[in-house]
């Protein structure tokens, strides 16, 4: 089958990005949300990204206009899935909400429609039976689409294997690097590694082996990267990091979760709240003399 | 005190690099080794690095000549430590050898000489008493000096605290970013995090969650890095990685150590043997189309 029409469920940050890249790649796109305000934010996100892509010479002004014209925003479920070849779902990271959404769309979507979820920490097997078409259901997990161009393809046990090459091609057509997660794994591939090294950084801190800036400096200088683990945590959000960390049973994860909680209780959620391990908008790790 | 004369024990790869940077920074340097052949290799290493630094416009031809003129190679222990303000030791990563070396130099070095060890995985407290001057002894651990410009300062419990700022200044004078490891920790700061994410990569592989190239792609694309965990392991050496991993008690480290052993038994030690997870000199992760 050939994918021509893409339906995005959830007009949040990630949904907007997947929708925009789909339109840039030439697909017809519908974006569904229950909240009309979400569309305004989505359009702002898309405009900002297009402005940046134009500045970098990746798209022309005309490409931007054409892309936006290929995106249709709708509050109507029927309109959203009409003739859709594939759905990519980025609704709230909540098991019940996702189960409800998949039940609803399982009933009204055309038979041909492939169902994919963009869940970050949940597993496709939690929703497969609700879709009514488990064999056509798979996780298709984007990172940030434009800077981190990886897309994880993670089937559940009941996914039809012929779906995999199709999703790989679809991922490539969206300018992504597709990687296959052969069996269900919390955190896919990259997030598993990210959590491991960020956890090691947390352990160094809670065991008082080194301070925040020296830990970040070690990472930044050795890997020539613009931020270290605590800068990354600030950008992920300390609340999100806490949700993941507190579910890990080992002693050092628990100690780090307890430390994260003290930040959260003080209103320090990272970049989005203006303060986390660093103060924003000008965190010290971006200072020219930080790496001295 | 002012550091003017630097003594390097061990003319291997790391010793050569620290010696060269010390000379570039204007210090008088003696390099000691028991094997005269080591000096020939050291000179080759230094010439290669200077050639590269000249090409990049970091040093002039004249700087290179001056630097090499500041380095004196010697097989004579007395000549090596004569008037040395600091010793940085990079001999074999073997407890008994290091203890023997520190006993010897503890007896003959001037009273003023600061003793530092470049050990990668051992701890300064294992050698402190052998030096005869534990208060003047500290780990000063370089990474590769020119590309990864971090230097770890890791005191043992008996290190005089006034030594720390002095070593920080010395590190900065060598164009390094000094970081403080407040208490002894195997793997300092960076290596702790490196081992954690490489261990997570190993777990993904041994649990058959993803294959080598998809794991590396995920890391490379998300972090815009030139290699992923398995490329890094090939560059570190699978034998070194095995030594570290097999000493970790958890089940997934043991499974990964067992996998590494199968590579080692097949003569695949990574880049240095021509084959590891990838084949060298042209590993597929450097192909233009690897990230497609």
């Amino acid at each position: 089958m050939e994918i021509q029409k893409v339906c995005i469920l959830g007009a949040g940050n990630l949904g907007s990005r997947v929708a925009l890249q789909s339109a840039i790649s030439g697909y017809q796109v519908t974006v569904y949300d229950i909240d009309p305000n979400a569309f305004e934010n989505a359009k702002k996100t898309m405009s900002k990204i297009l402005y940046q892509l134009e500045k970098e010479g990746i798209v022309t002004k005309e490409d931007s206009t054409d892309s936006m014209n290929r995106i249709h925003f709708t509050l109507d479920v029927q309109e959203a899935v009409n003739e859709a070849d594939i759905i990519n779902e980025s609704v709230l990271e909540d098991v019940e909400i996702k189960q409800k959404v998949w039940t609803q769309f399982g009933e009204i979507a055309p038979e041909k429609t492939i169902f994919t979820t963009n869940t970050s920490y949940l597993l496709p097997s939690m929703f497969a039976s609700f879709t009514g078409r488990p064999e056509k259901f798979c996780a298709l997990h984007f990172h940030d689409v434009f800077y981190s161009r990886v897309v994880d393809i993670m089937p559940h046990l009941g996914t039809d294997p012929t779906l995999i090459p199709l999703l790989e091609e679809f991922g490539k057509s969206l300018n992504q690097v597709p990687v296959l997660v052969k069996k269900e794994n919390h955190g896919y591939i990259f997030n598993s590694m990210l959590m491991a090294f960020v956890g090691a950084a947390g352990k160094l801190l809670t065991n008082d082996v080194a301070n925040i800036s020296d830990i970040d400096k070690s990472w930044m200088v050795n890997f020539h990267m613009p931020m270290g683990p605590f800068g990354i945590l600030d950008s992920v959000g300390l609340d999100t990091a806490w949700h993941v960390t507190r579910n890990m049973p080992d002693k050092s994860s628990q100690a780090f979760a307890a430390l994260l909680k003290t930040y959260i209780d003080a209103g320090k959620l990272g970049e989005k709240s203006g303060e986390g391990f660093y103060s924003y908008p000008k965190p010290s790790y971006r200072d020219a003399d930080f790496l001295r």
Side-chain angles (χ1 to χ4, degrees), chain A:
Chain A
M1 73 169 287
E2 203 198 337
I3 294 176
Q4 291 180 323
K5 199 177 155 197
V6 177
C7 168
I8 302 294
L9 303 184
N13 186 42
L14 191 53
S16 305
R17 289 167 169 267
V18 180
L20 179 59
Q21 180 60 58
S22 300
I24 292 171
S25 295
Y27 296 105
Q28 288 296 325
V29 182
T30 52
V31 180
Y32 168 81
D33 205 292
I34 49 169
D35 176 9
N37 292 322
F39 296 150
E40 292 316 304
N41 290 328
K43 284 171 194 168
K44 274 184 208 155
T45 299
M46 292 174 181
S47 296
K48 266 191 206 165
I49 294 170
L50 286 171
Y51 176 77
Q52 190 58 37
L53 295 176
E54 284 171 27
K55 244 176 59 181
E56 291 170 19
I58 294 166
V59 299
T60 64
K61 188 89 200 149
E62 202 188 344
D63 292 334
S64 289
T65 310
D66 290 351
S67 298
M68 289 309 290
N69 286 340
R70 278 193 284 272
I71 304 176
H72 178 63
F73 296 87
T74 180
L75 296 164
D76 184 313
V77 289
Q78 281 295 354
E79 199 173 46
V81 294
N82 183 32
E83 293 182 35
D85 297 301
I86 188 166
I87 292 179
N88 186 237
E89 167 268 312
S90 300
V91 305
L92 272 184
E93 202 66 353
D94 178 290
V95 177
E96 280 181 31
I97 291 175
K98 283 192 195 289
Q99 287 175 344
K100 210 178 118 191
V101 165
W102 282 121
T103 304
Q104 181 181 27
F105 283 86
E107 284 162 8
I108 60 164
E111 202 190 314
K112 67 169 181 178
T113 314
I114 296 166
F115 284 5
T116 62
T117 176
N118 222 324
T119 181
S120 289
Y121 299 104
L122 305 172
L123 299 173
S125 59
M126 297 173 177
F127 319 112
S129 65
F130 294 84
T131 64
R133 60 187 84 182
E135 74 289 353
K136 276 194 175 143
F137 181 60
C138 188
L140 186 69
H141 172 248
F142 293 83
H143 290 253
D144 83 349
V145 184
F146 295 95
Y147 180 80
S148 296
R149 300 181 303 97
V150 167
V151 64
D152 297 295
I153 298 167
M154 184 168 79
H156 65 94
L157 278 174
T159 305
D160 177 357
T162 66
L163 208 59
I164 310 295
L166 209 147
L167 292 176
E168 281 174 346
E169 282 311 308
F170 180 59
K172 285 182 189 177
S173 78
L174 298 181
N175 198 29
Q176 306 294 300
V177 178
V179 291
L180 178 62
V181 189
K182 295 190 256 179
K183 50 174 120 168
E184 288 196 327
N185 185 54
H186 284 286
Y188 299 90
I189 298 174
F190 177 71
N191 288 356
S192 296
M193 295 189 278
L194 178 70
M195 288 187 282
F197 96 78
V198 165
K203 190 173 169 185
L204 289 169
L205 182 63
T206 54
N207 286 347
D208 200 31
V209 170
N211 67 30
I212 291 165
S213 57
D214 279 357
I215 296 170
D216 275 2
K217 281 179 192 179
S218 295
W219 189 260
M220 292 163 73
V221 176
N222 270 304
F223 274 158
H224 293 238
M225 280 190 54
M227 53 175 87
F230 295 103
I232 290 171
L233 282 167
D234 275 354
S235 121
V236 166
L238 303 198
D239 46 347
T240 303
W242 176 69
H243 277 294
V244 177
T245 310
R246 71 177 178 141
N247 285 321
M248 297 183 172
D250 62 293
K251 233 174 75 181
S252 51
S253 295
Q254 288 301 310
F256 190 39
L259 176 70
L260 288 169
K261 190 68 168 47
T262 65
Y263 278 79
I264 295 166
D265 290 345
K268 299 178 183 180
L269 304 181
E271 191 162 1
K272 63 185 168 190
S273 76
E275 196 163 353
F277 292 109
Y278 296 92
S279 295
Y280 296 84
K282 292 191 175 175
S284 59
Y285 67 77
R286 285 189 204 135
D287 288 352
D289 65 351
F290 185 68
L291 298 183
R292 286 273 167 81

